[in-house]
Amino acid sequence: MWLSLALSLAHADTHVPMFVKDPQYTKAPFEGMERLYVDPATTVAQVKPLAARPTGERVLDQPGTGKLVFTNPLNQWAELTVNGVKLGTIGPFATCNLEGFGAGWYQVDAWVTTGLTRHFAVEVK
């Protein structure tokens, strides 16, 4: 009995796909958002990089070239704001790729319905 259990575990597929991108999420140029409140073309023209790195948590995402990459670390939906401009809603653990942003630092805020707002410093290359 134990031998059959050990053999079945040894041959089991340990790769579990998690957080598969929802096909209903927004497409490029603002990819990965659940709901979008703004027009990407006018928003990119309106939001400029900050002069210095803002205070806030460091993100684990690698800086994108010409795009702002952000993964929601929360297990709930969050309203995403970049440099004070509310962009839309991002899903739990979802990653968004916001194209067209200039190189520099951006203040990204994730607000959840409990009233918590987490602040992040995100770099674009």
Side-chain angles (χ1 to χ4, degrees):
M1 176 172 115
W2 292 107
L3 180 61
S4 63
L5 176 63
L7 287 174
S8 65
L9 289 175
H11 293 294
D13 184 9
T14 58
H15 176 71
V16 179
M18 296 185 72
F19 312 117
V20 176
K21 188 182 290 186
D22 190 330
Q24 294 181 14
Y25 282 178
T26 58
K27 308 288 185 234
F30 279 15
E31 174 187 46
M33 301 287 289
E34 187 162 307
R35 202 171 304 126
L36 198 57
Y37 303 154
V38 297
D39 175 21
T42 57
T43 302
V44 166
Q46 178 184 6
V47 178
K48 301 298 180 199
L50 301 173
R53 183 186 187 280
T55 58
E57 299 176 51
R58 184 175 298 269
V59 294
L60 298 178
D61 302 305
Q62 293 297 319
T65 303
K67 67 177 149 182
L68 190 147
V69 180
F70 176 76
T71 300
N72 181 5
L74 304 166
N75 65 351
Q76 55 188 309
W77 287 261
E79 284 196 344
L80 205 63
T81 303
V82 176
N83 288 0
V85 177
K86 191 181 294 187
L87 301 183
T89 305
I90 187 169
F93 306 114
T95 300
C96 63
N97 295 296
L98 310 176
E99 296 177 6
F101 285 93
W105 287 98
Y106 293 86
Q107 172 79 41
V108 176
D109 299 328
W111 176 85
V112 296
T113 57
T114 62
L116 171 74
T117 301
R118 287 180 63 181
H119 307 284
F120 301 90
V122 180
E123 185 179 15
V124 174
K125 295 272 182 182

